[in-house]
Amino acid sequence: MKVRSLFAFSILLSAISGTANATTYSLPENSNDSVITEFTDDVPLMRAEQSETLPDVARRFLLGQTEIVRLNPEVDRWHVKKDEIVRLANKRILPDTPHEGITLNIAEYRMYYYPPTQKGTAPQVMSYAHGIGRQDWKTPLGKTSIVRKVKDPSWHPPESIRREHAANGDPLPAVVPPGPHNPLGAYKMHLAVPGGYLIHGTDIDKIYGIGMQITHGCVRMYPEDIEALYHSVPVGTSVYMVKQPIKVGWLDNTLYIEAHPDLEGEETTLDQKLDVALKLIQKANIARDGVYAAGQSETGTAQNMPEFDREALKQALTVLDGNPVALYQRLL
């Protein structure tokens, strides 16, 4: 793993404060590629400058708690010692959705926003960590849109949530006014989904729950992230809510796979994951072959599976750390 070059860079990034915004990526120059990269190092690392927790690191680098824990299975979640090395996220494979509006991939607790491309600028995508619905309050799937936006909202807890809190000895008022302890945070955006589902901020008491399966079905974001998104997207913006724990994509003629664990309450076997992955690999290869069939030379037919690294595939589907793994490189 490459440690040397990011240490100086991590000192700069560690200064990120509560005013930081989303991680912004340039989309690949090749429109058929779908892997985005933040750092030049394949495995970016940082050295802890003080004793802290993995959620502290996640907060500073705008990652989710589940994500940072998966990337650092050997690090104590609640005690990162001074000078200990922490692995950060780098490459991501874009979900298989249109590159427009917002995509929520609940399987990875992450949102992708494709802002309109300005004339003379390269297309970009902004990525945000977010929390999703618990096993018994699942976040819905499907295409929807933002229908209303509200700044400094009051929270009117639904009767079902009030009953749940009362049963746990934590009764809720009928209305929670705006402020630092409002669970909706400072901004909320209504989705055109029956049941009152929202994209919203968080209160100071639950800020470390971003990137976890913890909400009553809504999508919860870091305060600075929801603020940036709120001011960026207009009412009517399309929202694609998908569950893609396994993603496959190309970058510079290299095929990658990214695999995430099952959500709580769900369980798929390694064989089931392998079946999904093989279909995605074949789909990606057929799409790539179509490009070559349009005029470039490439050996084989669209129906052939590439001779990819099957051990790397099995490892990715076993470790499930969300880190894209290279499976195959085309020879031009």
Side-chain angles (χ1 to χ4, degrees), residues 30-281:
N30 186 333
S31 61
N32 294 291
D33 286 352
S34 59
V35 180
I36 53 177
T37 304
E38 181 176 5
F39 302 118
T40 55
D41 280 21
D42 287 339
V43 184
L45 308 167
M46 64 151 283
R47 188 192 298 275
E49 298 175 7
Q50 60 184 8
S51 294
E52 54 186 340
T53 69
L54 279 179
D56 290 329
V57 177
R59 177 77 181 93
R60 194 161 70 248
F61 288 89
L62 299 177
L63 303 174
Q65 184 174 158
T66 299
E67 180 176 30
I68 197 76
V69 170
R70 284 202 315 262
L71 289 170
N72 296 277
E74 304 302 320
V75 177
D76 187 330
R77 180 189 307 217
W78 305 116
H79 186 200
V80 180
K81 297 182 285 292
K82 185 178 183 298
D83 292 329
E84 191 167 8
I85 303 301
V86 177
R87 180 183 177 190
L88 303 175
N90 187 20
K91 287 185 173 68
R92 301 186 188 278
I93 300 177
L94 296 172
D96 185 13
T97 60
H99 292 178
E100 63 180 30
I102 295 170
T103 288
L104 302 170
N105 185 12
I106 67 170
E108 59 173 318
Y109 307 96
R110 185 154 285 275
M111 172 190 302
Y112 298 85
Y113 167 53
Y114 299 89
T117 302
Q118 303 298 319
K119 185 177 181 180
T121 62
Q124 295 180 325
V125 59
M126 299 176 179
S127 187
Y128 304 88
H130 61 72
I132 64 170
R134 300 181 336 224
Q135 177 181 344
D136 51 343
W137 294 85
K138 291 184 179 180
T139 300
L141 301 177
K143 182 182 178 182
T144 184
S145 63
I146 294 173
V147 293
R148 189 160 67 96
K149 305 196 303 182
V150 180
K151 184 180 184 299
D152 295 325
S154 295
W155 183 44
H156 300 259
E159 187 59 34
S160 56
I161 295 179
R162 294 187 67 192
R163 285 197 302 268
E164 179 187 75
H165 277 256
N168 293 329
D170 179 29
L172 292 173
V175 180
V176 179
H181 296 285
N182 186 312
L184 300 181
Y187 302 89
K188 71 173 181 178
M189 298 191 291
H190 290 257
L191 299 174
V193 177
Y197 289 96
L198 309 169
I199 299 174
H200 63 77
T202 187
D203 58 310
I204 60 175
D205 305 310
K206 299 183 177 67
I207 202 163
Y208 290 105
I210 303 301
M212 298 180 69
Q213 196 170 347
I214 198 171
T215 76
H216 288 92
C218 291
V219 175
R220 179 188 297 168
M221 301 175 65
Y222 284 126
E224 62 272 27
D225 284 348
I226 184 62
E227 180 178 7
L229 190 68
Y230 180 94
H231 291 296
S232 298
V233 301
V235 169
T237 298
S238 297
V239 179
Y240 299 88
M241 305 174 75
V242 301
K243 183 172 62 177
Q244 298 178 7
I246 300 173
K247 299 181 291 180
V248 170
W250 292 93
L251 179 63
D252 298 333
N253 294 305
T254 299
L255 183 66
Y256 290 85
I257 188 165
E258 177 183 325
H260 299 264
D262 294 323
L263 298 177
E264 293 177 13
E266 302 176 4
E267 185 175 353
T268 56
T269 66
L270 178 59
D271 285 342
Q272 289 171 321
K273 291 181 176 68
L274 182 61
D275 183 60
V276 171
L278 291 175
K279 290 177 180 176
L280 291 174
I281 291 169

